Amino acid sequence: MSPARPHEAALVASLLVVLTAVPGAEAACNATCRRDITRCMATQCAEVGRKACRRRCKPAAIRTLAYAQSECRYQSISHTYVAHQELRIRRGDQEPITVATFDSERVADPLGFCPQYGGIGFGGFSVLAFPLQRLGVSPDGSTVVYEVNDTAPFFPFGSLPPDENGLFMVRSDGTEGRRLGQPSGDKSFRLGPAFGKPPIDLYGAYTLSPPISFSPDGRRIAFTDLGPALGGQNAVQIAVLDLVTGDRRLTHLPAGTAPTPFPDLPSFSPYFLTCCPRFVDSDTIVFQTYTDPKNDPEGSRPPDLNALNFFTIGIDGRHLTALPKPTLSPGAHVIPSFGVTGRRINLLRLAMPGEPTGPPTDPPGSHFPITETFVQFGKRLLLGLTNYRRVDTFAAFVTADRKRAVFLASADPDPLGTNSRGNCQLFSVNVLGGVPRQITHLDPGFRVSYGPGCFLPFGIGYGLYRFVTQDPVTKTIIFDTTLDALELRPAPARIGSDHIFAIRPDGSGLRQLTEASGVLATADGLSVELPGPFAYSAAPH
């Protein structure tokens, strides 16, 4: 755990009197809770009285968060680094515990991964160089599963003992850890064909996989793996692993090649061919794929951006059922996201025809389409929730009560101009439409003018598959951003280090759940420490 920075220590000291003066503050909070209140009250209560500020800053309640904390220490003269990684678990207001650690010998870094990792600041890129690949937390928060694979990273980490590679589970209090079996054969990320040719550009490594999904009863997990297709060749499959019996079953989906969103930009990643399995209930999984096992079992059709299919399948591999496709206007198509749940209401991100508005796309020539958020009711009915004509509107989730949709956007739909600088924010809107509510108020301290806010490294999450979720019990929203959401640092130093945050749907209770040193200069180079990827104890909803 990194020590508090001097400015944070000053904030703590200056507000101790305020906190202890509030009746019940000491009794209601432990030290972690009090620290989070202090940070919030220091920056989030402009023109708000002390009592109202204290209510606003009551920390959003969380249950179980699991995340990787990854550090590389780079030596600029030799272009090498040593790496250290930990799996940490945080439960509620308790300080995180470390349940697994991994250390490398000094490895060559001729392409400069470590400096770029610090420069882009997004912790999820750790999967490119560190062995922790996938994480999952059971809905009740009692169990964490994780995948360790020293052969998966693009940049070499070094070999681990054979028994340290695999799928593992551990209780969230750090006890009863055990190995479940071999790691997945399917990498947790995708890279473009030009990636790895110097100079590298992490901006194009844009496709990172979602967390491991748990069944609602906590007995099984689902993820992607490699296995035999119907024609015999190896292909991406949906794997279901029973945590009690150890039984591991695979689908037999056809092989194929995922489409690339920007064929003229070979440094950009292709989509996942088959992705994002999630439990609809304890016996059924929903997933998305560019293959069509119903009508093209051999996978002979070429990839097509308009050919994204959604299926449900039983945990026994039977009852493969295609979900109905929405009826789209000419030129529109569904973009992969986490929004489809296989239930009565689905949240979709659609690419729409036309010329987008807003800042120019970055990089030039990438031709990002207009994207809007739609809600699908039942088999066919679609209702548009946004009409911003921007390229960076992302679907997040439908709330547990099925009444509101949460999405990401850099638009400014409020007549009062609450997002006039074009930053990436979380919004919510009634699933039947209406005026959106802005949940976050992230601000780097300047107007975004050189690219769409949610595509920039200081947006919310990163990549084509972003993990933003709501706790169905506490209603808290969990997200990550490389912006200093609490504005503890003066602009423009609010950009750079990824952290995981919690916030209530009304925008109150903002708290930072992780601590990391970020990017620090050293005598012979630099040190980079960032959290991510992460998983949270929330079943799909």
Side-chain angles (χ1 to χ4, degrees):
M1 185 67 63
S2 302
R5 298 179 178 88
H7 60 271
E8 294 183 10
L11 288 173
V12 172
S14 64
L15 284 174
L16 277 178
V17 175
V18 174
L19 287 177
T20 54
V22 177
E26 292 289 343
C29 279
N30 63 9
T32 301
C33 174
R34 291 195 300 273
R35 178 198 64 198
D36 292 344
I37 293 175
T38 300
R39 287 174 168 176
C40 179
M41 291 181 70
T43 62
Q44 303 297 300
C45 294
E47 301 180 0
V48 175
R50 187 181 68 185
K51 290 184 178 180
C53 179
R54 177 62 177 81
R55 289 193 297 270
R56 174 183 290 185
C57 286
K58 180 181 178 181
I62 70 162
R63 293 186 296 143
T64 303
L65 171 73
Y67 61 96
Q69 184 104 329
S70 307
E71 180 185 12
C72 57
R73 297 183 293 278
Y74 181 75
Q75 191 176 74
S76 56
I77 296 177
S78 62
H79 300 291
T80 61
Y81 66 80
V82 292
H84 174 77
Q85 188 174 49
E86 300 180 0
L87 172 60
R88 294 183 177 180
I89 301 173
R90 172 172 172 168
R91 297 189 297 165
D93 289 341
Q94 299 178 22
E95 287 297 298
I97 60 172
T98 298
V99 297
T101 60
F102 309 95
D103 291 282
S104 77
E105 302 292 334
R106 184 164 292 277
V107 296
D109 190 17
L111 296 177
F113 165 79
C114 190
Q116 281 230 16
Y117 183 48
I120 204 165
F122 176 59
F125 279 116
S126 67
V127 297
L128 299 182
F130 294 82
L132 273 173
Q133 293 293 301
R134 291 177 174 89
L135 300 169
V137 182
S138 63
D140 66 359
S142 66
T143 304
V144 174
V145 294
Y146 60 98
E147 179 194 17
V148 181
N149 189 345
D150 61 15
T151 66
F154 178 87
F155 301 95
F157 180 84
S159 298
L160 297 173
D163 60 351
E164 290 189 16
N165 283 286
L167 283 164
F168 298 85
M169 66 176 290
V170 65
R171 303 291 292 179
S172 58
D173 62 2
T175 63
E176 301 180 28
R178 63 185 177 91
R179 189 173 185 271
L180 299 170
Q182 293 296 319
S184 171
D186 181 36
K187 290 184 182 295
S188 66
F189 55 86
R190 297 292 185 269
L191 300 174
F195 189 85
K197 298 177 182 179
I200 63 166
D201 183 5
L202 289 187
Y203 185 88
Y206 213 64
T207 304
L208 306 171
S209 71
I212 294 172
S213 175
F214 266 83
S215 60
D217 60 10
R219 173 163 178 163
R220 295 176 177 86
I221 57 174
F223 51 96
T224 57
D225 202 345
L226 295 181
L230 295 176
Q233 64 271 55
N234 227 22
V236 180
Q237 306 295 341
I238 304 300
V240 177
L241 177 62
D242 190 311
L243 302 181
V244 176
T245 66
D247 179 48
R248 186 168 178 166
R249 298 188 179 187
L250 295 174
T251 56
H252 295 285
L253 304 175
T257 303
T260 301
F262 315 113
D264 55 337
L265 295 174
S267 63
F268 266 71
S269 308
Y271 291 131
F272 285 97
L273 178 69
T274 297
C275 181
C276 314
R278 303 173 75 167
F279 281 89
V280 177
D281 53 45
S282 293
D283 300 309
T284 311
I285 293 167
V286 63
F287 65 94
Q288 60 190 48
T289 179
Y290 281 100
T291 70
D292 189 354
K294 287 286 189 179
N295 299 314
D296 184 28
E298 299 301 320
S300 59
R301 294 178 184 171
D304 180 0
L305 281 171
N306 290 296
L308 183 64
N309 301 297
F310 301 94
F311 291 90
T312 59
I313 192 169
I315 57 175
D316 58 0
R318 302 170 60 188
H319 309 297
L320 180 69
T321 304
L323 293 180
K325 288 188 174 182
T327 301
L328 305 179
S329 60
H333 64 268
V334 181
I335 299 180
S337 70
F338 297 150
V340 173
T341 64
R343 295 179 177 175
R344 187 177 62 86
I345 302 177
N346 293 315
L347 200 61
L348 302 174
R349 181 180 181 225
L350 302 186
M352 308 297 293
E355 289 296 320
T357 61
T361 57
D362 185 13
S366 53
H367 307 300
F368 288 96
I370 295 170
T371 58
E372 305 289 0
T373 301
F374 286 74
V375 63
Q376 180 184 13
F377 298 91
K379 294 184 176 181
R380 297 287 178 184
L381 180 61
L382 270 182
L383 177 64
L385 299 178
T386 64
N387 187 26
Y388 303 146
R389 300 189 63 79
R390 297 172 74 94
V391 301
D392 59 339
T393 303
F394 286 80
F397 58 85
V398 177
T399 56
D401 61 9
R402 321 301 290 169
K403 293 181 179 180
R404 299 190 68 82
V406 175
F407 62 92
L408 290 69
S410 63
D412 186 19
D414 192 322
L416 297 178
T418 56
N419 195 37
S420 60
R421 285 179 168 177
N423 301 315
C424 190
Q425 310 288 359
L426 284 172
F427 296 85
S428 76
V429 66
N430 191 292
V431 294
L432 298 178
V435 179
R437 299 174 186 167
Q438 187 172 326
I439 300 172
T440 58
H441 291 82
L442 306 177
D443 184 4
F446 56 86
R447 181 177 180 81
V448 177
S449 59
Y450 57 93
C454 289
F455 273 164
L456 297 177
F458 50 90
I460 293 175
Y462 197 68
L464 296 172
Y465 300 81
R466 306 187 184 206
F467 182 47
V468 179
T469 191
Q470 183 184 36
D471 190 315
V473 176
T474 68
K475 313 307 179 190
T476 296
I477 296 172
I478 310 296
F479 68 98
D480 70 315
T481 178
T482 57
L483 278 178
D484 175 19
L486 285 166
E487 300 181 8
L488 297 174
R489 301 186 298 273
R494 296 176 189 158
I495 301 172
S497 297
D498 200 21
H499 281 292
I500 303 165
F501 292 85
I503 194 170
R504 281 192 285 272
D506 64 359
S508 65
L510 178 66
R511 68 192 310 190
Q512 182 177 305
L513 303 179
T514 53
E515 302 293 326
S517 59
V519 183
L520 298 174
T522 62
D524 58 354
L526 57 82
S527 169
V528 181
E529 184 186 47
L530 299 170
F534 69 97
Y536 187 77
S537 53
H541 47 268

